[in-house]
């Protein structure tokens, strides 16, 4: 345990009591530890001033090793009216772990025991702190996989992937995290430990498991996750198709899905973003948009699907570029160095805003957002990252800067505000997969309208003292409106 010179008497006694209560846990309050756990990958928090950082520092960081540790810590926090924030692996990009000074940070990285693989039933039960990439490697050694591949697979904990309702690039065929989660062990705010029903599917009331998927640490702390697994894919085939317009690309994708073709990966890049893949593929882009498809599974099936898909894309004037653009995409799919480069300058930001919308809304939204944010960005472009039979997700990437901290931050927030407002005005949803955190909490009442009161009522019932991740999901903003 490190000593922090500026500890108050009250802090000293709280930390001492915690150590007595949880002798097996590492409890730290060294400034560098508190600083690291006060933030995630939200670009704004990376540029906090010393004063801003101070106002978000946890009281202490407790690395828990079991659900029982979490339970004891929560009971302690309730007694002492301390806020508790679960910290997965800190790869969140919207400030999910950011909270007011003085909270107790529960670092779940210590929940990292061996996954229990049940190949007979195609399931695995894994402690919540295990990283997604590590789980995938272990499963692969047993001939299994969970085809849930967010770009941050190696950076994110399994519990975090569930708590944020994350999405992976193979979602068109396999679905998102909610489609893999079978059951959860959760520690409720009052310290009770529950395990939700484990079954392939049930019709026994609303899914209690799904209540915690996307709850971002507000309703309980997920300590263990049971997920479906699949055998390793026998084949993966790629196609790159160039179109002269986004509209043609979208029409082709829609027809693919309507006709029951299910590529695992469907990504449609606008001309500005496609340039990067065209360059790496050594193909002349000629200002065209690029569709990347990946077919994953049985050899004969993927071959047939690819053939039909290419017939459909040709009907929409798609130019078949062969496998290379898809292979380039696969090789670089976990590389997010643009984010680090774009955020490297003291007064510059790079960020992504992912939203979802119906087929009717998608094409209009793409142009509307890029036009509206144009005065505030140095550069912006987008791709359609996920598709469903009824619509898809657009992933806007922007770079902005200013002459000083104030101006650059003001531009950053303006881009976010304009984007989310435009999305809501046109009927879309303000997040497809990164979640709410700090970045979207003020928009939740506009996103959900009156139905947000249902979530607020659940929060009130489970956590009447508002111990867990207070202020998150915009729930405090509708306090008093509940009847
Ligand atoms: C380069 C990069 C690429 C990314 N790509 C994707 C992507 O493709 N798809 C995608 O969906 N996301 C992506 N993300 C976002 C991020 O990786 C996900 O949100 C991820 O699920 C966060 O997991 P984590 O363990 O890091 O959680 P954290 O950042 O630690 O926490 C996120 C939120 O969940 C809560 N939380 C964490 N663990 C638990 C738990 N066990 N119980 C209860 N609450 C908990 C936290 O309090 C916080 O509110 C990306 C991020 C980066 C940096």
């Amino acid at each position: 345990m490190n000593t922090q010179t500026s500890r108050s008497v009250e802090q000293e006694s709280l930390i001492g009591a915690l150590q007595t209560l949880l002798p097996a846990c590492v409890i730290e309050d060294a400034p560098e530890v508190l600083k690291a756990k006060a933030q995630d990958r939200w670009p704004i928090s990376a540029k906090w001033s010393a004063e801003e950082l101070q106002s978000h520092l946890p009281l202490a960081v407790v690395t828990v090793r079991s659900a029982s540790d979490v339970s004891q810590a929560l009971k302690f926090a309730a007694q002492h009216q301390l806020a508790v924030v679960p910290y997965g692996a800190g790869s969140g990009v919207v400030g999910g772990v950011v909270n007011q000074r003085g909270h107790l940070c529960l670092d779940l990285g210590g929940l990292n025991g061996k996954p229990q693989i049940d190949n007979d039933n195609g399931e695995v039960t894994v402690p919540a702190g295990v990283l997604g990439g590590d789980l995938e490697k272990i499963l692969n050694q047993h001939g299994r996989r969970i085809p849930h591949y967010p770009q941050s697979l190696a950076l994110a904990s399994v519990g975090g992937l569930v708590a944020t309702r994350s999405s992976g690039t193979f979602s068109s065929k396999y679905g998102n995290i909610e489609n893999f989660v079978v059951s959860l062990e959760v520690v409720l705010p009052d310290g009770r430990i529950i395990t939700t029903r484990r079954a392939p599917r049930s019709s026994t009331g609303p899914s209690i498991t799904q209540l915690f998927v996307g709850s971002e640490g507000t309703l309980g702390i997920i300590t263990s996750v049971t997920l479906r697994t699949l055998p390793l894919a026998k084949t993966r085939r790629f196609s790159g198709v160039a179109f002269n317009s986004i509209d043609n690309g979208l029409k082709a994708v829609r027809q693919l899905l309507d006709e029951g073709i299910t590529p695992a990966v469907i990504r449609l890049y606008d001309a500005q973003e496609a340039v990067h893949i065209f360059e790496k593929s050594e193909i002349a882009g000629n200002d065209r948009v690029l569709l990347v498809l990946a077919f994953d599974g049985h050899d004969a099936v993927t071959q047939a699907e690819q053939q039909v898909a290419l017939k459909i894309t040709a009907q929409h004037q798609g130019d078949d570029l062969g496998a290379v653009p898809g292979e380039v995409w696969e090789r670089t799919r976990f590389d997010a160095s643009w984010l680090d480069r774009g955020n490297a300058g003291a007064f510059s930001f790079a960020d992504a805003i992912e939203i979802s919308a119906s087929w009717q809304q998608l094409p209009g939204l793409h142009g509307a957002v890029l036009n509206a944010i144009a005065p505030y960005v140095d550069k912006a472009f987008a791709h359609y990252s996920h598709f469903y039979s009824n619509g898809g997700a657009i992933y806007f990437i922007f770079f902005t800067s200013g002459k000083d901290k104030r101006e650059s931050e003001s531009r950053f927030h303006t881009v976010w505000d304009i984007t989310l407002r435009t999305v809501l005005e046109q009927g879309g949803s303000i997040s497809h997969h990164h979640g709410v955190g700090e970045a979207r909490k003020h928009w939740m009442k506009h996103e959900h309208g009156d139905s947000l009161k249902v979530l607020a009522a659940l929060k009130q019932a489970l956590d009447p003292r508002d111990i867990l991740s207070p202020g998150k999901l915009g729930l405090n903003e509708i306090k008093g409106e509940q009847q």
Side-chain angles (χ1 to χ4, degrees):
M1 161 99 178
N2 296 288
T3 318
Q4 194 187 27
T5 44
S6 56
R7 264 192 201 168
S8 68
V9 177
E10 195 197 352
Q11 273 177 317
E12 192 82 50
S13 93
L14 282 171
I15 291 172
L18 263 172
Q19 275 182 313
T20 311
L21 181 71
L22 299 166
C25 297
V26 178
I27 301 172
E28 294 170 280
D29 70 339
E32 64 277 10
V33 176
L34 299 185
K35 184 178 169 199
K37 301 295 182 202
Q39 52 197 301
D40 53 13
R41 302 278 298 259
W42 184 37
I44 282 289
S45 63
K47 296 205 165 71
W48 277 338
S49 64
E51 205 179 316
E52 286 167 324
L53 177 63
Q54 282 298 321
S55 68
H56 293 96
L57 285 184
L59 166 84
V61 177
V62 182
T63 302
V64 288
R65 305 234 160 257
S66 66
S68 161
D69 290 344
V70 174
S71 167
Q72 303 231 50
L74 282 171
K75 286 179 189 161
F76 176 90
Q79 259 170 18
H80 296 273
Q81 198 55 40
L82 282 176
V84 174
V85 177
Y87 192 100
S91 74
V93 284
V94 288
V97 301
V98 170
N99 221 293
Q100 294 306 309
R101 183 185 172 83
H103 62 273
L104 203 57
C105 168
L106 291 197
D107 183 351
L108 306 174
L111 302 176
N112 58 1
K114 214 171 140 195
Q116 302 299 310
I117 298 174
D118 175 1
N119 273 355
D120 289 344
N121 292 306
E123 291 180 354
V124 62
T125 299
V126 59
V130 170
L131 297 180
D134 291 344
L135 174 62
E136 185 64 9
K137 277 187 206 141
I138 295 169
L139 288 172
N140 290 174
Q141 286 159 9
H142 290 79
R144 307 290 294 184
R145 63 178 178 147
I146 299 173
H148 179 69
Y149 304 129
Q151 191 179 35
S152 56
L153 186 66
L155 312 174
S157 69
V158 174
L161 290 168
V162 174
T164 55
R165 216 158 192 274
S166 62
S167 175
T169 45
F170 282 49
S171 66
S172 300
K173 178 165 184 171
Y174 298 108
N176 297 300
I177 195 70
E178 64 272 20
N179 305 107
F180 289 102
V181 176
V182 178
S183 160
L184 298 172
E185 179 186 73
V186 180
V187 185
L188 299 178
D190 63 6
R192 272 176 300 161
I193 303 173
I194 59 159
T195 303
T196 63
R197 187 80 170 90
R198 180 172 172 172
R201 186 181 188 273
S202 318
S203 170
T204 51
S207 165
I208 296 168
T209 302
Q210 293 294 336
L211 186 61
F212 295 96
V213 179
S215 60
E216 297 190 24
T218 57
L219 302 180
I221 298 188
I222 300 161
T223 45
S224 174
V225 182
T226 299
L227 297 144
R228 288 191 303 115
T229 67
L230 293 175
L232 291 173
K234 293 212 165 55
T235 327
R236 197 169 284 171
R237 295 171 189 278
F238 293 100
S239 287
V241 183
F243 294 90
N244 284 328
S245 70
I246 282 282
D247 267 2
N248 279 353
L250 285 175
K251 281 181 188 142
V253 172
R254 172 106 203 237
Q255 193 181 334
L256 277 179
L257 293 172
D258 279 353
E259 295 198 15
I261 309 298
T262 51
V265 178
I266 312 178
R267 295 169 79 81
L268 181 65
Y269 295 85
D270 68 14
Q272 289 70 22
E273 192 174 354
V275 166
H276 304 117
I277 301 187
F278 279 129
E279 269 174 21
K280 288 181 192 146
S281 309
E282 299 182 2
I283 292 173
N286 298 329
D287 215 20
R288 291 176 298 174
V289 309
L290 174 67
L291 175 67
V292 168
L293 300 174
F295 303 87
D296 178 90
H298 193 286
D299 190 33
V301 176
T302 56
Q303 191 177 12
E305 285 204 312
Q306 188 177 38
Q307 277 170 5
V308 178
L310 290 174
K311 273 192 193 139
I312 292 173
T313 53
Q315 286 167 24
H316 297 276
Q317 288 81 52
D319 181 10
D320 177 6
L321 304 175
V324 174
E327 288 166 355
V328 166
W329 169 80
E330 190 191 37
R331 215 170 43 239
T332 54
R333 71 188 156 132
F334 296 120
D335 176 11
S337 48
W338 64 269
L339 202 53
D340 296 329
R341 282 196 303 275
N343 282 302
F347 308 129
S348 60
F349 286 104
D351 205 2
I353 308 179
E354 26 60 58
I355 60 92
S356 79
S358 67
W359 282 114
Q360 259 189 340
Q361 296 152 354
L362 279 176
L365 254 181
H366 180 191
V369 168
L370 289 180
N371 284 337
I373 63 175
Y376 306 96
V377 299
D378 301 331
K379 197 166 51 169
F381 36 75
H383 62 267
Y384 295 71
S385 55
H386 302 75
F387 283 99
Y388 306 90
S389 61
N390 56 345
I394 310 181
Y395 192 96
F396 294 101
I397 292 176
F398 72 91
F399 299 80
T400 191
S401 56
K403 62 179 181 311
D404 53 23
K405 179 171 157 66
R406 210 170 123 185
E407 188 179 83
S408 57
E409 286 186 0
S410 157
R411 287 197 176 149
F412 177 92
H413 290 304
T414 303
V415 172
W416 266 86
D417 286 352
I418 291 176
T419 304
L420 300 192
R421 192 176 318 118
T422 308
V423 169
L424 285 172
E425 278 166 6
Q426 302 214 10
S429 168
I430 57 171
S431 177
H432 176 264
H433 58 264
H434 283 161
V436 179
E438 288 294 289
R440 292 180 169 98
K441 68 179 186 185
H442 302 307
W443 294 88
M444 283 290 277
K445 49 184 183 286
H446 306 295
E447 167 83 7
H448 290 287
D450 257 5
S451 43
L452 190 61
K453 290 179 186 169
V454 175
L455 198 54
L458 278 168
K459 169 74 173 169
Q460 173 68 23
L462 288 175
D463 187 11
R465 293 194 229 181
D466 204 10
I467 296 292
L468 255 185
S469 299
K472 291 302 189 193
L473 296 184
L475 297 177
N476 283 354
E477 297 181 23
I478 59 160
K479 259 192 178 161
E481 288 178 30
Q482 297 165 52
Q483 1 232 333

